[in-house]
Amino acid sequence: MTESRPSLADSAVPQRLVVLISGGGTNLQAILDACSRSTDDPDHLAAKVVAVVSNRADAGGLARAGRAGVPALVLERLPGERRADYDRRLTELVGEYQPDLVVLAGFMRLLTSTFLDRFGAINLHPALPGTFPGLEAIERAFAAWQAGEIDESGVMVHHVPDEGVDDGPVIAAESVPFVEGDTLASFAERLHAVEHRLLVDAIRSLTPTGVPS
Ligand code: GAR
């Protein structure tokens, strides 16, 4: 039996979010912080992170979830496991938490239609739409700036309708210009600050009423 994808329009506020991570989880932290702000704070996010799933046991974000009292789950790919089989297990696990929305916050695995046909998902990417898809986007943008090819990069949040890499209808995008004297570290720091704000704003823009509960 095919289960239908839950519709954001049908969901009660606060939205139930499942966040998928692979690393340090600073963007997960931004979501958790926004959810825990008081409802009369304009930066409040009317949502609840109901589970965090990592494909890596050593992801620092798992401890952030634990500190926030959110179930922190690890689902590693088994040796030789086919992508669709991993995605079937991930679909089952995530489905237990009945999310309104799945947020890919540094989840460094491509998802197949096995997963994406079931859940609405959005992805954060540390570059502007159509640029530097895949791994090490910040490093590649920095190298392109040093080579005189670009003078800005940026951040985007997009829907994930299919198996395209860091590609899909854009929800929010913001450029981050390079400045004279930038190092990779100084540029990355500015870019991450934009990510933390833009991701939360993008989730908020998908809230059905925009009115906190
Ligand atoms: C973020 O910079 C995010 O944009 C990037 O992974 C990092 C996760 O950081 N995602 C991608 O590169 C997707 N292609 P975090 O674990 O500290 O949130």
Side-chain angles (χ1 to χ4, degrees), residues 23-28 105-106 108 123-126 134 138 166 192 195:
T26 62
N27 287 283
L28 163 67
M108 305 308 269
N123 179 49
L124 170 70
H125 183 58
I138 303 174
D166 297 315
H192 288 311
E195 285 192 318

Side-chain angles (χ1 to χ4, degrees), residues 20-30 59-61 64 104-109 123-127 132-138 140 154-156 158 165-166 188 191-192 195-196 199:
L20 305 190
I21 62 166
S22 300
T26 62
N27 287 283
L28 163 67
Q29 190 68 56
R64 296 178 188 273
L104 311 183
F107 186 65
M108 305 308 269
R109 270 189 65 85
N123 179 49
L124 170 70
H125 183 58
F132 307 108
L135 300 173
E136 301 188 340
I138 303 174
R140 286 183 288 138
V155 175
M156 73 159 161
H158 63 94
V165 180
D166 297 315
L191 186 137
H192 288 311
E195 285 192 318
H196 298 159
L199 179 58

Side-chain angles (χ1 to χ4, degrees), residues 16-93:
R16 296 172 63 82
L17 308 178
V18 168
V19 182
L20 305 190
I21 62 166
S22 300
T26 62
N27 287 283
L28 163 67
Q29 190 68 56
I31 297 169
L32 292 168
D33 291 348
C35 293
S36 66
R37 285 176 189 276
S38 134
T39 51
D40 50 19
D41 183 330
D43 291 331
H44 170 69
L45 179 62
K48 182 177 162 67
V49 179
V50 293
V52 170
V53 182
S54 171
N55 65 320
R56 299 179 54 125
D58 61 355
L62 291 165
R64 296 178 188 273
R67 281 197 292 276
V70 174
L73 311 158
V74 176
L75 191 71
E76 289 180 303
R77 192 175 185 182
L78 303 170
E81 186 176 30
R82 288 185 318 160
R83 197 170 281 284
D85 290 335
Y86 176 89
D87 281 8
R88 209 162 286 127
R89 291 196 298 129
L90 184 64
T91 301
E92 212 167 280
L93 180 64

Side-chain angles (χ1 to χ4, degrees), residues 126-208:
L128 291 170
T131 68
F132 307 108
L135 300 173
E136 301 188 340
I138 303 174
E139 289 80 353
R140 286 183 288 138
F142 187 76
W145 172 63
Q146 285 188 309
E149 293 161 8
I150 57 173
D151 56 15
E152 64 174 21
S153 186
V155 175
M156 73 159 161
V157 182
H158 63 94
H159 292 284
V160 187
D162 55 34
E163 300 174 16
V165 180
D166 297 315
D167 188 31
V170 175
I171 302 163
E174 187 170 317
S175 65
V176 180
F178 290 95
V179 297
E180 210 183 318
D182 252 344
T183 60
L184 176 59
S186 67
F187 177 68
E189 191 180 332
R190 278 204 315 287
L191 186 137
H192 288 311
V194 172
E195 285 192 318
H196 298 159
R197 172 170 46 76
L198 203 72
L199 179 58
V200 170
D201 286 350
I203 297 168
R204 189 181 293 110
S205 77
L206 298 175
T207 302

Side-chain angles (χ1 to χ4, degrees), residues 2-6 20 83-84 87-88 90-91 94 101-104 107 109-123 158-168:
T2 313
E3 290 185 54
S4 63
R5 176 190 287 188
L20 305 190
R83 197 170 281 284
D87 281 8
R88 209 162 286 127
L90 184 64
T91 301
V94 169
L101 183 68
V102 174
V103 180
L104 311 183
F107 186 65
R109 270 189 65 85
L110 289 181
L111 291 166
T112 61
S113 57
T114 304
F115 184 90
L116 297 171
D117 287 352
R118 170 85 184 273
F119 303 109
I122 65 172
N123 179 49
H158 63 94
H159 292 284
V160 187
D162 55 34
E163 300 174 16
V165 180
D166 297 315
D167 188 31

